[in-house]
Each structure stands twice: as structure tokens, then as C-alpha cells.
Amino acid sequence: MINDSSLQPAQTSSPAKNIDRRALLIGAAAVVGGAATAAAMPVTASAAADKRSGEAGAGAGRSITASAETAVVEVSSGKVAGYIHDGIFTFKGIPYAASTEGVNRFLPPAKAKPWSDVRSSRHFGYVSPQAPRAGWANDEESFLFTWDDGIQGEDCLRVNIWTPKINDGGKRPVMVWLHGGGYAAGSGQELLSYDGENLARRGDVVVVSLNHRLNVLGYLDLSKYGDKYAGSANVGMLDIVAALEWVRDNIAAFGGDPGSVTIFGQSGGGGKVSVLMGMPAAKGLFHRAIVESGSTLRVRTAESSQKLADLIVSELGLTAATIDQIQTLPYSQLLKASTEVMRAHNPPPAGGVPNFRRMADMLGLSPTLDERILPAHPFDPQASALSADVPMIVGTTLNEFVSGINHPEYESMTDADVETRVRGIFADKTPQILAAFRARTPQAKPFDVWSHIAASTVRENAIKQCKAKAALGKAPAYLYWFTWQTPVLDGRPRAFHCSEIAFAFDNTDRCENMTGGGPDARALGAKVSDAWIQFARTGNPSHPGIPSWKPFAADTVPTMIFDNKTELVLNPDGGEQKSIAEG
């Protein structure tokens, strides 16, 4: 029978004590506002037997089927019960490792504690503690993204799974999604676009998302304060490794093939994919990789990471003699101290535009070089040989971080305004940069020119990552550029950062606030998601709905342009990239 106490995520103490009240209320409002009640449905004996054998079709005609007889899978820690929605088995909030609070704080993830009853796994578990989301203050941004911030707590190491069948011996490709938010924020549930149901149905694949430790809890380098903290600078990444190990050990019961795992992520999630490519502990746990707007070539050095940690420890009033108190301090104190230090010693980028060339330092608390866990930068000066046999898809959006969201006045930007902004970043190179970008798009309005220039270092890093990967000569890289412009808000958001995710998950209707939900978005979503699915299945993203996608070559820079007209173009912005090149 299902233990009633398992209807809520297990916890060792109230999450409220670990976060400030405002963050908790924001998360609670999101959950209460978006949660649907899943009633237990009576089933016949024959139907129950069909469902236990993994046949979702037995629930045909019902939108949701959830009962003690339905969607039960045994994993390494015990049995879990999910639900079926429109033929897709869904499981949420399954622990892949133990709670990270108290004595486990800042330590590598430990094995999940086993349970004896069937654990209800129908709603998302806790998300990693993090700062309150600033975006809620902006109406347009909130309208577009409609975040689900969840409930915060340190018992946050959870996976969510969508699959067409369970317990059937299937060998479906597994696609493991790593959320964005840098290394400071986000969760596996934060965006509607992350929902894996449509992708699982469309591609007959198993989709997995997960939560892991973030910010000060996941990346504070306390290694100088004792051996037990030796891995503390990278425990957030070790959490992801633990999740991939859990997938290896358990995904077969969900109809997936542990020998065919694709990791994919956007922004910070793309950074995490990049970092995993250089982690010895992750070798063999995944077989393909997709980086969306998050190409990370370098990580923090141990010296810079330890400097930040020392400042935070000092801000907390701790010393080497009292350092263990850091495991029991309220999270709100850790957040306050780290925020103060980051504000003083890690200021935001000039002009508010992220420069991907300096991303390792700009991000603050983030993965750090470590002889054992992360022995070298993953893609600089060369790609890691650890993942030489792993093919990649890498790409960016056209406008990335600089769009008209929240700023209708940007549409009135003048050429003089653009020159001032460009000069603030590129100084004396401004004239040739402006000439190069105007040459490719002579009809572009001033704000578009500025947006393209501001996004150019994001694409520059993607190209560099593909070059490094291709230079190994063992597995291909495929480069894309997502340029589709949403019609929402009169088109002002353009091809903004995060805009391609809904297309990759075949969720353009689900994310209609972002996409408009129209036929153009739907058609492009089919092309992008089919490419991701085909890549997960074969290692090659080409399919009949798009032109043949040639692997990256440094001399031709073949780039798949995803737009209403999807086409493969050789070196489409070569002049622009040459104009911004360093040296």
C-alpha cells in the first residue's frame, strides 16, 4: 500500500528554517497556484494488470490515471508510484541521494536512505535553496517565463522522469536535462518548457530532469579547512554525477537504456554539460552531449575560488577553529554573507552584458579546478580527452541576453547610442565592429545591431567549443544558431536567451506566452525536437525535416540556422566574429 506520509517529499526538518520567509512564500505561491489534484482512479483487475506491466494505453480516455495500482517501479531505494498523463508515465521528486543538510552540508552526496512502503512520487521535490527571484518584479518577464519556483529545502537531490512505458525491457534513449540559472539558481521544474512529456511521446525516449545544490551550498571552497571539505568547491557537480549514476543503475526499470544517455542543458545547464565533459567521475555515464547557450571553456581557478571562500567565511564570523558551525547555520545567513561578498568582490559585467570570455570569473561561486574532481579546464586550451568519444550539439540564440523584454524604449535606440554602448565594451575596435555587423544586416535597426554585438561573445564561445571538440578528431560537433523571432509583445523579445528550450522539448503550445503558440512555432518545434531526438538516438541530428547537418569544421563553420526557413549556412557571421576577435 502507499504510505500516506509519502504524499509529500520526505524531509528531516522544516525547510522554512533554511530559507528566508520571502523565498518560501514565493515558492509556495507558485506550487499552490499551479498544482493539480490527481485523484485515485478505480481500475478493473485486468486493467490494473496491464498497467503494472507498463502499458499506459490501458488508461486510454483518461487524462490522468493515478492509483495504488498504477505506475509503480522499483528503484534501488524502494518502490515509487507515479501517474500516467495522456499515455506518458510520470514520476517526480524521486530521491537520488540523501538530504544535504546538517552533517551532510558541503560534503559529497551520500546514498539515498531506503524506504519500505511505496513512495508517492507524483509532485516535484524540494529545490535547492537560493535567493528570491528578482524577475518577478518585471511584468513582461514574468508573463513570458511564468516560473515555478517550488519549495526550497536542502533535501533537494531529486529526479523527475517521463517515459512511454515502464518495466517493459525497453532500450529507449535517455535524455537528462540540466537546468539553467548559472550555478546559483533554478531547478528542474522552474520553466514550463522543461516538462518532458511531449518529448518522451514524440521521440519514444525517456526524459529525466533533476535538482542539485547551488550557490554557496554547492560551490564554496572550504578545502583548506579540513579533509572532509576537500570536494566542497564542486559538490554541486558531484550531485549531478550522483544523479547520472542513479540513472545508470535504475533507468532500465523506466524503459530506458543506461548505455544511451544524452545530457543536455541550457545556459548554466549548458555550462554544467561542458564541465561534466572534463570530470573523471562522469566518464562513461553519458554518451552524447548538447550545450545550449552555455559553452563553458574555463572554470574558476583554485586560488580565486579559495579567495572567495575565505571572504565568505570571514563575513560569517567563523575561523578555522569554528568552521564546522557552517554546517548548521541557517541558510539565510549563508546567503546574506555570500551575497555581500559577491557584491563587493565580483561586480556585474560592464553595461550589464555578460561577456562569455570572462564567464568563469563573472559567475562567482561555480565549478573549480581540482586535481581529483576537475583536473583541467574542460575546453581550454583543448577539449578534454576524457570525453573525446562523446559527440556534441552546440549553439546559441541570436539575441541572447539583450532583448526588448521589459524595455520598449530600446526600440528607439539611435546609432549614437549603439556606438556608446559598443565602445564601453570593445573600446578602439568599435568602428570596425560596427561596420562588420552592419554589413551583414544592413537593414537592421540600431537596437538589433547592438543586440547582435552584445550576443556575439556567446556565439564566439560556442564556435571555440566546437573547434576544440573537432580538433580531437574522435567524435563530431554540430553547431546551430537559433534565430526565430517570437511574435509575442510585438516581437520585442526577439530570439532571447531561453527561447529555444520550448522548441527542443516540443513544448511550443505549452509555452504559448513565449512562442505565441502558433503554427510557425509548432512547425519549428518539430524540426528542433526531432533533431535533438535523432541525436540522442544515433549521435547524428540530421533528419528528413531539415537539411543535412554537416559536422563542424574549423575552415567552413557549418551552422544550422533554426528559423521559419531552416538552412545550413557556412560561416554565416565570419566577418562579425573576426571583428570581435581578441588579439
Side-chain angles (χ1 to χ4, degrees):
M1 61 176 286
I2 294 179
N3 185 343
D4 288 342
S5 65
S6 68
L7 293 176
Q8 297 297 327
Q11 63 185 78
T12 56
S13 65
S14 168
K17 73 176 185 179
N18 295 324
I19 62 173
D20 64 67
R21 184 170 178 270
R22 180 181 176 192
L24 179 60
L25 290 174
I26 290 173
V31 171
V32 172
T37 301
M41 301 289 291
V43 293
T44 64
S46 59
D50 286 343
K51 290 175 189 176
R52 283 194 296 269
S53 70
E55 293 297 329
R62 297 175 181 142
S63 179
I64 288 183
T65 303
S67 81
E69 301 291 338
T70 303
V72 176
V73 172
E74 185 163 6
V75 299
S76 50
S77 298
K79 292 183 178 181
V80 295
Y83 62 92
I84 304 169
H85 183 259
D86 289 347
I88 296 298
F89 289 86
T90 303
F91 300 81
K92 296 177 179 178
I94 302 175
Y96 66 84
S99 173
T100 65
E101 68 180 339
V103 295
N104 287 338
R105 189 187 274 179
F106 302 115
L107 304 188
K111 292 288 186 182
K113 292 183 179 180
W115 52 86
S116 56
D117 294 325
V118 179
R119 182 187 182 100
S120 181
S121 299
R122 301 181 176 109
H123 196 273
F124 296 112
Y126 293 128
V127 306
S128 177
Q130 55 197 272
R133 185 183 298 278
W136 285 119
N138 303 311
D139 181 79
E140 288 188 349
E141 191 177 351
S142 299
F143 168 77
L144 288 167
F145 286 88
T146 57
W147 301 285
D148 176 359
D149 286 333
I151 299 293
Q152 298 182 14
E154 292 188 56
D155 187 6
C156 61
L157 304 188
R158 308 298 182 94
V159 291
N160 314 301
I161 301 170
W162 294 264
T163 181
K165 290 186 180 181
I166 58 172
N167 303 319
D168 71 333
K171 290 285 187 179
R172 296 172 184 82
V174 181
M175 301 182 71
V176 179
W177 174 253
L178 304 180
H179 68 76
Y183 299 92
S187 73
Q189 71 189 69
E190 90 176 307
L191 292 179
L192 293 172
S193 52
Y194 293 177
D195 187 279
E197 180 181 314
N198 286 338
L199 188 61
R201 181 184 298 109
R202 184 177 190 91
D204 191 31
V205 297
V206 180
V207 181
V208 180
S209 67
L210 60 100
N211 296 337
H212 59 89
R213 281 173 282 185
L214 298 166
N215 53 74
V216 67
L217 296 176
Y219 301 98
L220 183 66
D221 188 355
L222 300 173
S223 57
K224 66 179 282 186
Y225 295 99
D227 291 344
K228 74 176 184 178
Y229 299 121
S232 60
N234 291 300
V235 292
M237 293 305 304
L238 292 178
D239 291 345
I240 301 173
V241 171
L244 292 172
E245 290 173 338
W246 188 95
V247 167
R248 177 197 62 199
D249 297 340
N250 294 282
I251 208 65
F254 296 89
D257 182 0
S260 180
V261 175
T262 297
I263 55 173
F264 67 131
Q266 184 270 349
S267 193
K272 295 160 198 170
V273 170
S274 302
V275 172
L276 286 165
M277 300 281 281
M279 292 181 66
K283 183 175 174 59
L285 295 176
F286 60 92
H287 313 91
R288 315 187 216 294
I290 303 174
V291 176
E292 305 174 27
S293 298
S295 294
T296 296
L297 311 182
R298 299 176 61 83
V299 296
R300 288 197 79 92
T301 64
E303 181 182 8
S304 66
S305 188
Q306 287 168 6
K307 179 181 177 181
L308 272 181
D310 287 345
L311 290 166
I312 292 169
V313 169
S314 177
E315 184 73 19
L316 288 166
L318 300 177
T319 65
T322 61
I323 192 64
D324 286 346
Q325 293 178 22
I326 201 169
Q327 292 184 299
T328 55
L329 288 176
Y331 173 72
S332 58
Q333 286 186 232
L334 302 181
L335 176 62
K336 183 177 184 296
S338 60
T339 301
E340 292 295 329
V341 168
M342 297 296 289
R343 184 180 293 120
H345 298 275
N346 210 66
V353 179
N355 183 342
F356 262 51
R357 296 168 176 168
R358 311 284 181 263
M359 189 57 67
D361 292 325
M362 189 186 76
L363 285 172
L365 294 167
S366 57
T368 297
L369 287 178
D370 175 276
E371 290 182 1
R372 182 176 58 88
I373 298 172
L374 188 54
H377 296 293
F379 285 92
D380 185 35
Q382 64 272 323
S384 174
L386 288 168
S387 52
D389 58 346
V390 176
M392 298 182 72
I393 292 176
V394 180
T396 61
T397 67
L398 177 61
N399 302 94
E400 291 292 354
F401 300 98
V402 180
S403 74
I405 301 171
N406 304 327
H407 292 285
E409 72 277 8
Y410 286 174
E411 304 303 320
S412 301
M413 190 175 288
T414 66
D415 287 336
D417 294 332
V418 174
E419 181 172 355
T420 298
R421 290 171 182 265
V422 175
R423 195 170 293 280
I425 297 175
F426 292 102
D428 293 343
K429 298 182 70 173
T430 296
Q432 56 262 42
I433 289 173
L434 288 171
F437 279 79
R438 286 169 175 156
R440 188 176 71 85
T441 53
Q443 303 304 315
K445 60 195 301 185
F447 176 62
D448 283 302
V449 173
W450 162 237
S451 178
H452 298 168
I453 293 171
S456 62
T457 62
V458 187
R459 177 160 161 83
E460 178 186 48
N461 259 27
I463 294 171
K464 287 180 177 179
Q465 188 171 45
C466 284
K467 284 182 179 179
K469 179 65 179 175
L472 294 178
K474 292 193 174 182
Y478 299 89
L479 181 65
Y480 75 87
W481 205 3
F482 185 89
T483 61
W484 188 82
Q485 311 280 292
T486 180
V488 174
L489 296 175
D490 303 312
R492 284 191 288 106
R494 295 168 168 79
F496 59 96
H497 191 65
C498 299
S499 60
E500 88 293 347
I501 305 173
F503 295 78
F505 276 84
D506 195 27
N507 278 336
T508 58
D509 282 359
R510 179 178 175 83
C511 301
E512 61 185 356
N513 287 27
M514 282 188 173
T515 69
D520 287 347
R522 205 170 296 125
L524 183 56
K527 293 176 181 179
V528 177
S529 60
D530 281 350
W532 269 226
I533 290 164
Q534 185 69 4
F535 180 74
R537 195 174 297 280
T538 68
N540 185 327
S542 292
H543 64 83
I546 61 174
S548 178
W549 195 338
K550 299 183 183 303
F552 182 88
D555 56 340
T556 57
V557 194
T559 303
M560 187 64 72
I561 307 293
F562 283 114
D563 210 323
N564 288 331
K565 179 184 179 182
T566 294
E567 56 185 337
L568 188 79
V569 180
L570 301 182
N571 204 15
D573 59 338
E576 295 174 353
Q577 287 295 320
K578 182 178 180 180
S579 74
I580 67 167
E582 293 181 294

